[in-house]
Amino acid sequence: MPKIKINGKETEVAAGKSVLQACLDNGVFVPHYCWHPGLSPAGNCRMCLVKVSNSRKLEVSCMYPCTEGLEVTTEGPEIADARKDVLEFLLINHPLDCPICDKAGECDLQDFTYAYRQGTSRFVEPKNMRHTKDLGPNIRIWGNRCIACSRCVRFCNEISGTGELALVNRGDRSVVDVFPGVPIDNPLSLNVVDICPVGALIDKNFLYSARVWFAQETETVCASCSRGCSSLLTTLDGVIKRHIARENPDTNKYWMCDEGRLNVRYVSSDKRLKVARGTAGELGAAAQTIVRKHGSGSVAGLVSSYQTIEEIFLFKKLMMALKADSVGVLTQSRGERRTFPGGFVIEADKTPNRAFAEMALGPEAVAQGAGRVVADILAGKVRGLMLLNGIPDFAFPTDLLTAAEKLDFLGVMDIAQSPLSDKAHVLLPGAAWAEKDGTFLNVDRRVQRIRRALPPPGAARPEVELLQRALIELRARERLVSAEGVFREVTKEFAGFSDFDYTDVGVKGVALTS
């Protein structure tokens, strides 16, 4: 652990760490473009220049190793002048199109120009024009904005391992391009938009959709697979405009798959259920009538692993109140688990909370429970069914649709219209993952929070509310509490949850201890 001084303050740093990393770790910001914590250093933007005690010239801090006794100075007239000179070169061919650039408000070039430049240019010659074109189905490049930092190239080489991008040409004509006939279309492609420090690479799905200073951002978790990547939702006027990765070293580091980013359109789909038939109280009363008429075990339940910890917990309580013997879990899997060269993983399980469904209802309910419910309906044992789905674009099994015809009562809580919602005697529109608060337990048994970014449409309500109202009708619950209140109940009943509370989960989650 070498000791160095940063702006006169002594600190210990890990052996092999660069000066830039040491500065950032100690709260001393050094401007940079090409360096990214998830990529190998390149040292080509020259913006992170600092003064070090064992060199007569300024050094590129992202490539300079920390050694015992090194003294680092990050600010001063000489350093400021050097950064101004670097920015002047970077801006020589850069267009003044900030008013139409989707990176405006999040652009490092804007921020550093404001800090180090005076808004004037000495360059009077014609600018070099570089290509503007599609690089793939989701990505477009404005080559005139590219500063050749090579972040995107390194990402495709090191993280996705697909290598579609390269820097072509030299000098001030250097620009990012794809290899001929090989568009950037890998499952992680949109990460290059996140890490582009300027507005060169743009997500075509976000193009001209929102200005970030008008939009709202909500820290949440992606629900598109059991990995549970930490993510950030950008919303404007009640619509999700963007879903991007958020740093979390314990789940996704800095990355996120394209499927998770784009699997948000269903939230504002025309197929969303917005009108209720009946109430949560009527749902509970009707199910109880079936139990009184046909006895214990005559009502069954199906819940999906797309629901939160709190909702699966309450659903279990509802099934206990109704003396249900048959309880199954609806899941959705697709393809195989895929691990990329950079360590990022896309899970085959496309639901976010299977781990807790297994913990609360048992592995058998997840693996075979839905089949058991169908069999009990067809055998005449089950006369009423409570269905809590929420999986977007879910194709219900054909045998379940057939069995539903034999039911005396079908209660459905779901987010989208389906054959079962059409048959339901009581239909309660639920809330999508972006419209409610709660927690998920990911494949690594890490509890993570989702946060409400939008209001549910029409009569839709979070299922944590609907389930509590049904339980209150059955006199199995006294009052309505928030998702946080239900989570406190979970911590009292399940091992591993008792060591932390809702606040401890925070924005990066907490791993279960047992």
Side-chain angles (χ1 to χ4, degrees):
M1 298 284 287
K3 291 182 179 180
I4 68 170
K5 285 186 177 180
I6 302 176
N7 295 333
K9 183 178 179 181
E10 187 173 82
T11 184
E12 281 189 341
V13 298
K17 200 168 249 189
S18 70
V19 169
L20 176 59
Q21 287 177 291
C23 290
L24 297 176
D25 290 346
N26 284 275
V28 179
F29 183 73
V30 175
H32 55 275
Y33 291 117
C34 67
W35 184 84
H36 186 279
L39 303 172
S40 62
N44 63 349
C45 78
R46 324 306 284 181
M47 192 65 195
C48 63
L49 293 170
V50 296
K51 191 173 182 63
V52 292
S53 57
N54 56 0
S55 177
R56 291 184 296 176
K57 63 182 181 69
L58 299 182
E59 295 290 348
V60 178
S61 60
C62 70
M63 300 294 288
Y64 205 87
C66 292
T67 55
E68 181 67 35
L70 186 69
E71 296 184 15
V72 180
T73 304
T74 65
E75 299 293 340
E78 182 183 6
I79 299 168
D81 288 343
R83 291 171 182 168
K84 288 179 182 179
D85 291 342
V86 169
L87 277 169
E88 183 172 23
F89 280 113
L90 291 176
L91 291 168
I92 279 177
N93 287 297
H94 199 85
L96 288 174
D97 57 359
C98 298
I100 63 165
C101 180
D102 282 287
K103 196 73 172 182
E106 301 175 313
C107 177
D108 291 342
L109 194 60
Q110 280 185 335
D111 294 342
F112 299 158
T113 299
Y114 178 79
Y116 293 103
R117 295 286 298 167
Q118 303 301 316
T120 58
S121 174
R122 296 182 292 170
F123 192 71
V124 295
E125 290 77 15
K127 293 180 182 288
N128 286 329
M129 301 300 292
R130 291 171 286 185
H131 55 230
T132 297
K133 65 178 186 178
D134 290 346
L135 295 183
N138 293 307
I139 298 172
R140 188 167 179 81
I141 185 171
W142 269 257
N144 292 332
R145 302 172 186 167
C146 181
I147 62 170
C149 71
S150 79
R151 280 186 177 184
C152 56
V153 177
R154 283 174 283 148
F155 176 87
C156 290
N157 291 337
E158 300 168 9
I159 308 301
S160 68
T162 50
E164 302 99 329
L165 298 181
L167 283 169
V168 299
N169 302 325
R170 294 192 178 192
D172 61 359
R173 291 170 175 79
S174 185
V175 66
V176 169
D177 202 352
V178 289
F179 291 99
V182 186
I184 178 168
D185 191 20
N186 66 72
L188 308 182
S189 67
L190 284 169
N191 286 284
V192 301
V193 176
D194 289 355
I195 62 178
C196 180
V198 295
L201 297 177
I202 295 295
D203 178 0
K204 292 195 290 185
N205 305 283
F206 184 62
L207 188 63
Y208 307 136
S209 293
R211 285 296 185 206
V212 293
W213 50 81
F214 295 134
Q216 293 182 325
E217 292 189 335
T218 305
E219 292 177 317
T220 187
V221 172
C222 178
S224 292
C225 84
S226 56
R227 170 59 39 194
C229 294
S230 294
S231 61
L232 196 68
L233 276 175
T234 300
T235 58
L236 180 65
D237 298 330
V239 178
I240 296 175
K241 297 294 184 179
R242 186 176 61 173
H243 189 205
I244 60 176
R246 179 166 58 85
E247 178 187 351
N248 189 339
D250 295 305
T251 55
N252 56 305
K253 296 184 179 177
Y254 312 93
W255 322 120
M256 186 176 173
C257 74
D258 291 0
E259 181 180 359
R261 293 169 184 270
L262 301 177
N263 188 28
V264 297
R265 295 165 181 164
Y266 73 91
V267 175
S268 55
S269 167
D270 293 338
K271 295 182 179 180
R272 284 294 301 275
L273 294 171
K274 301 177 183 179
V275 179
R277 291 200 301 272
T279 66
E282 292 172 355
L283 180 72
Q288 191 174 46
T289 299
I290 296 292
V291 175
R292 286 172 178 168
K293 184 177 180 180
H294 298 285
S296 177
S298 58
V299 170
L302 286 174
V303 61
S304 82
S305 50
Y306 225 84
Q307 298 299 316
T308 65
I309 288 175
E310 295 78 11
E311 289 155 354
I312 292 177
F313 172 79
L314 290 171
F315 188 83
K316 180 181 180 181
K317 295 293 185 184
L318 182 60
M319 293 298 99
M320 293 170 62
L322 293 171
K323 302 176 182 178
D325 294 331
S326 299
V327 179
V329 178
L330 299 174
T331 63
Q332 188 175 59
S333 296
R334 187 169 56 252
E336 297 181 353
R337 187 177 191 265
R338 185 170 178 183
T339 302
F340 292 83
F344 184 83
V345 176
I346 299 176
E347 302 292 344
D349 178 10
K350 299 305 178 184
T351 59
N353 206 20
R354 181 176 182 140
F356 185 76
E358 291 182 343
M359 181 184 294
L361 302 173
E364 184 181 353
V366 177
Q368 304 171 0
R372 180 185 173 191
V373 169
V374 170
D376 286 347
I377 295 173
L378 294 175
K381 178 182 177 182
V382 168
R383 309 297 289 271
L385 177 64
M386 305 280 272
L387 170 68
L388 174 54
N389 182 29
I391 302 177
D393 302 319
F394 185 66
F396 288 98
T398 304
D399 57 355
L400 176 59
L401 299 178
T402 302
E405 299 287 350
K406 298 181 175 294
L407 292 168
D408 295 339
F409 172 74
L410 174 61
V412 173
M413 288 173 275
D414 206 345
I415 61 172
Q417 185 180 5
S418 70
L420 289 181
S421 71
D422 295 339
K423 300 176 190 294
H425 299 91
V426 174
L427 175 64
L428 303 177
W433 123 98
E435 298 164 350
K436 58 188 176 184
D437 294 310
T439 53
F440 291 138
L441 184 67
N442 80 348
V443 66
D444 294 329
R445 293 172 59 84
R446 189 172 189 83
V447 180
Q448 301 183 103
R449 282 179 62 179
I450 59 171
R451 292 169 173 80
R452 172 173 162 160
L454 301 167
R461 293 293 181 270
E463 291 85 340
V464 71
E465 174 187 331
L466 299 175
L467 290 164
Q468 288 185 84
R469 292 192 184 281
L471 284 164
I472 290 171
E473 176 66 27
L474 297 174
R475 302 184 184 279
R477 192 174 185 84
E478 294 182 356
R479 61 191 178 91
L480 199 68
V481 299
S482 66
E484 181 178 358
V486 177
F487 186 82
R488 281 197 290 269
E489 298 174 30
V490 173
T491 62
K492 296 175 183 178
E493 293 199 21
F494 288 92
F497 284 82
S498 59
D499 297 332
F500 56 90
D501 59 24
Y502 204 65
T503 304
D504 294 331
V505 177
V507 296
K508 293 189 176 181
V510 176
L512 291 189
T513 55
S514 60

